[in-house]
Amino acid sequence: MVNLTIDGQKVSVPQGTTIMQAAATVGIEIPRLCYLKGINEISACKVCVVEIQGQNRVVTACTTPVQEGLVVYTNSPKARSIRRTNVELILSQHDCMCATCVRSGNCSLQTLANDLGIYDIPYERDVVDTPWNQEFPLIRDSKKCIKCMRCVQICDKVQKLHIWDVQNTGARTTVDVAGNVSIEDSDCSLCGQCITHCPVGALKERNDVPKIYDVLADTSKVTVVQVAPAVRTAWAEAFNLPPELATEGRMVAALKKIGFDYVFDTCYAADVTIMEEASELLEHLQNPQDHSWPMFTSCCPGWVSYVNKTHPYFVPNLSTTKSPQQIFGALAKSYFAQKKGLKPKEICSISIMPCVSKKREAALFSMRSSGTHDVDIVLTTRELIRLLRAEHINPAMLGELPFDNPLGQSTGAAVIFGASGGVMEAALRTAYHVIEGKEAPEDAFTDVRGTEGRKVRDFTLGGATLRTCTVSGLGNAGKLLDELKAGKVHYDFVEVMACPGGCVGGGGQPIHDGEERADVLGNKLYAIDSNRPMRQSHNNPDVQELYKDFLEKPLSEKAEELLHSDHVKEHNYM
């Protein structure tokens, strides 16, 4: 162990620990902007400087290892003065229009500048403005980029897509799309991890909230809203609601107060997804010679886009079942429209998702089963929060309302779609019932849960072994695909989610700088599942009614027409 003193406190830590890590063990948080543990430890921002007794120069705490006997001052006059100067220099190349920034109030640079008492910038302003397609679902504002390199590193090291890179040198150094291509022509999957790991507002989702106001003002439109399972884990954070108030019912009440006509649960469509996908899996198992192996889940549009762009060899392996978002959109403009005597064009189908890639998915060629866009507008969880605030809605003051019917009832199996392993577990619950003729034990498939990058489990169905693999994070997915193609591993059924930990860790979720919350939020979904009276998709009476009255059976001709796609060129817009 190495012994040192930090701000007067004795500290003992293992050899190789950095000063920043050592300080954290005694509750001392050293200011920083670029640091991401294990991902971006390059001292790019020079904000974490500290003074060491007996040394003339300050050092960066995130890269300097401890030494025996060091005496460190994290906020001495010298360290504070240099830190202040470094932040002022960053601000001189930053668009400081905080009042109109999407990250105002949740910006690490803004907080740091306020903490340092910086109310003026003594240096000449030099802000670079690079053109960007404002219609693309992911928006980069070069005027706000602070060159911290987080977006580069999260995309390189975790997602392994290498979308971002450093451009130019010296004072003109900036970050842009790698390879001198446009973002539209890049391999970007729109996972949004660069957005949630940006400490400022340089990266954000396209703002579709104004479209909501337009449609709410259009009296000829019937607004139909669906809410994804992962959204319910995080929507109330911004309002500081305790768990007992942060309920689905209060979320529904808030959406109704905004003025939406119908509020439905995407989980209903997730139950339908399982009916189709589990049936598809069983058909593959019964006719193995007719299919490519393994069969991949297809509910994550970031993953589907990734396969199309980087590993097209595996496109035939994707389940043809659409995502719950698109299944709901198709049913809203067919089944629901029929029940209400509406034409598809009279319905505005809106989804609230934890995901940025869903914005692109809704605009794809293949997502027009109703003859028009099945989903018209997609909002992220963050956009929902901004909408609620704009409408001056205090959820704590609202009563609870149920989701509307007939697209509102769902099971626990659908709720866990938002966590890594949830789709796999939900599908296996139904597949087991079909094959074995009885319900699976409650804990039969829980081994697929967890936030590990890859989970491999074997299960017995009908006396045969089903080899499963659950993956989250595109870097892990790429490694898996390479191993599959090389014949190094063999599986029957594989679930992939683009975002680490699943949709709960999606690129559209609320941003907590420096925190990874997928595990915590995923456990919320599993708790909801365990308390649901129905926990298997095939037991949902509303889904049973859908098949009886409208679709006939899973994989029927009508189901294929509305609920399936071959996913070819899924990354192309119409």
Side-chain angles (χ1 to χ4, degrees):
M1 301 292 283
V2 178
N3 301 295
L4 67 158
T5 303
I6 303 177
D7 291 347
Q9 296 191 54
K10 300 294 183 182
V11 182
S12 182
V13 292
Q15 186 78 34
T17 304
T18 65
I19 292 175
M20 179 177 286
Q21 293 167 340
T25 65
V26 290
I28 298 172
E29 288 295 320
I30 299 174
R32 66 284 191 112
L33 279 174
C34 67
Y35 177 80
L36 283 176
K37 184 179 180 182
I39 297 171
N40 198 43
E41 300 178 2
I42 59 175
S43 66
C45 66
K46 301 295 187 292
V47 168
C48 66
V49 291
V50 296
E51 182 178 4
I52 296 178
Q53 183 174 291
Q55 296 187 17
N56 292 326
R57 301 180 63 180
V58 294
V59 299
T60 51
C62 70
T63 57
T64 304
V66 297
Q67 295 180 30
E68 184 68 32
L70 282 185
V71 178
V72 179
Y73 303 99
T74 70
N75 204 33
S76 66
K78 183 176 183 179
R80 189 167 59 249
S81 175
I82 293 174
R83 181 176 298 134
R84 179 188 177 96
T85 297
N86 289 342
V87 173
E88 288 172 339
L89 288 168
I90 291 171
L91 289 169
S92 73
Q93 296 185 333
H94 179 76
D95 174 8
C96 297
M97 300 292 288
C98 296
T100 56
C101 179
V102 71
R103 292 290 296 275
S104 184
N106 184 24
C107 170
S108 297
L109 178 59
Q110 184 184 54
T111 300
L112 185 55
N114 288 338
D115 290 348
L116 289 169
I118 299 174
Y119 306 117
D120 194 15
I121 303 171
Y123 301 102
E124 182 180 348
R125 301 291 300 278
D126 183 14
V127 179
V128 176
D129 188 4
T130 303
W132 193 266
N133 177 5
Q134 298 299 307
E135 294 302 313
F136 194 70
L138 183 152
I139 305 294
R140 181 176 184 272
D141 187 348
S142 61
K143 302 188 300 299
K144 296 187 182 296
C145 179
I146 62 172
K147 296 87 173 175
C148 68
M149 307 298 290
R150 282 191 183 185
C151 59
V152 176
Q153 299 279 43
I154 201 77
C155 196
D156 283 2
K157 293 182 177 179
V158 177
Q159 299 298 70
K160 303 291 179 70
L161 274 169
H162 312 289
I163 301 303
W164 307 106
D165 201 358
V166 176
Q167 307 287 333
N168 305 321
T169 58
R172 309 303 298 178
T173 299
T174 188
V175 175
D176 208 340
V177 182
N180 294 317
V181 301
S182 67
I183 189 67
E184 299 92 333
D185 294 330
S186 73
D187 287 339
C188 179
S189 69
L190 285 170
C191 68
Q193 292 302 304
C194 57
I195 298 176
T196 56
H197 289 83
C198 177
V200 294
L203 291 162
K204 60 186 178 182
E205 71 272 37
R206 183 186 66 220
N207 179 21
D208 288 326
V209 172
K211 297 177 184 177
I212 297 296
Y213 287 117
D214 289 341
V215 75
L216 286 174
D218 186 348
T219 57
S220 69
K221 292 289 188 181
V222 174
T223 51
V224 175
V225 179
Q226 59 166 307
V227 188
V231 174
R232 71 204 65 200
T233 68
W235 74 278
E237 291 176 355
F239 303 96
N240 298 314
L241 291 185
E244 63 271 18
L245 294 182
T247 61
E248 295 176 358
R250 200 160 273 106
M251 178 179 65
V252 173
L255 290 165
K256 287 281 191 175
K257 191 170 180 62
I258 290 172
F260 296 118
D261 295 313
Y262 296 94
V263 180
F264 294 119
D265 196 346
T266 307
C267 290
Y268 169 88
D271 278 331
V272 178
T273 299
I274 286 303
M275 296 300 292
E276 296 296 321
E277 194 164 77
S279 298
E280 196 177 347
L281 173 64
L282 294 174
E283 195 278 328
H284 281 222
L285 292 172
Q286 291 164 5
N287 302 283
Q289 70 284 351
D290 297 334
H291 301 283
S292 300
W293 294 93
M295 178 178 136
F296 292 115
T297 59
S298 56
C299 59
C300 171
W303 154 242
V304 173
S305 174
Y306 176 79
V307 174
N308 265 282
K309 291 184 174 188
T310 66
H311 294 77
Y313 173 86
F314 284 106
V315 169
N317 295 64
L318 290 167
S319 161
T320 63
T321 305
K322 292 179 181 177
S323 72
Q325 170 180 272
Q326 295 307 138
I327 283 180
F328 181 93
L331 292 175
K333 293 194 176 184
S334 57
Y335 178 60
F336 175 76
Q338 180 178 299
K339 279 185 170 292
K340 295 296 179 180
L342 297 169
K343 297 177 182 177
K345 65 181 181 180
E346 294 177 316
I347 294 176
C348 181
S349 174
I350 301 157
S351 70
I352 302 173
M353 296 283 142
C355 177
V356 179
S357 193
K358 292 288 184 184
K359 289 178 180 281
R360 175 164 56 189
E361 180 187 38
L364 295 173
F365 276 112
S366 54
M367 301 303 170
R368 293 166 35 118
S369 301
S370 59
T372 181
H373 291 297
D374 295 328
V375 176
D376 298 293
I377 305 172
V378 179
L379 300 183
T380 63
T381 310
R382 293 191 295 270
E383 287 175 289
L384 169 62
I385 293 168
R386 295 201 293 271
L387 181 60
L388 293 173
R389 283 177 163 168
E391 291 295 294
H392 308 293
I393 293 174
N394 180 359
M397 303 302 293
L398 300 176
E400 296 194 32
L401 291 175
F403 284 107
D404 288 310
N405 280 312
L407 310 180
Q409 187 168 199
S410 61
T411 71
V415 171
I416 61 177
F417 257 61
S420 176
V423 180
M424 174 71 71
E425 184 172 350
L428 292 177
R429 290 179 189 179
T430 290
Y432 183 96
H433 176 264
V434 173
I435 292 176
E436 303 290 351
K438 60 182 180 180
E439 302 295 355
E442 286 194 1
D443 60 350
F445 307 113
T446 55
D447 281 352
V448 301
R449 299 179 181 182
T451 56
E452 306 99 296
R454 187 192 299 190
K455 301 179 286 289
V456 177
R457 301 290 186 270
D458 290 348
F459 299 100
T460 301
L461 291 178
T465 298
L466 182 73
R467 299 165 296 180
T468 75
C469 179
T470 304
V471 178
S472 72
L474 291 177
N476 295 319
K479 184 177 179 180
L480 170 66
L481 294 181
D482 290 341
E483 292 178 8
L484 284 168
K485 192 169 184 180
K488 295 180 179 179
V489 293
H490 303 277
Y491 304 112
D492 300 309
F493 189 32
V494 177
E495 178 208 290
V496 182
M497 293 191 180
C499 295
C503 305
V504 285
Q509 292 283 71
I511 297 172
H512 299 269
D513 195 9
E515 294 183 41
E516 302 295 342
R517 294 172 52 79
D519 195 19
V520 173
L521 300 182
N523 286 335
K524 287 186 177 182
L525 294 182
Y526 287 119
I528 295 173
D529 166 47
S530 65
N531 290 320
R532 282 285 170 94
M534 292 182 298
R535 300 187 63 200
Q536 302 85 15
S537 296
H538 53 272
N539 289 329
N540 185 333
D542 285 356
V543 171
Q544 293 171 352
E545 183 179 348
L546 168 72
Y547 281 101
K548 178 183 176 183
D549 295 345
F550 190 66
L551 294 176
E552 185 184 348
K553 63 179 181 179
L555 306 184
S556 69
E557 184 176 341
K558 192 157 194 175
E560 291 282 354
E561 176 189 346
L562 290 173
L563 312 182
H564 291 258
S565 168
D566 62 8
H567 301 299
V568 174
K569 296 184 178 178
E570 278 290 273
H571 55 286
N572 289 335
Y573 290 98
M574 62 171 292

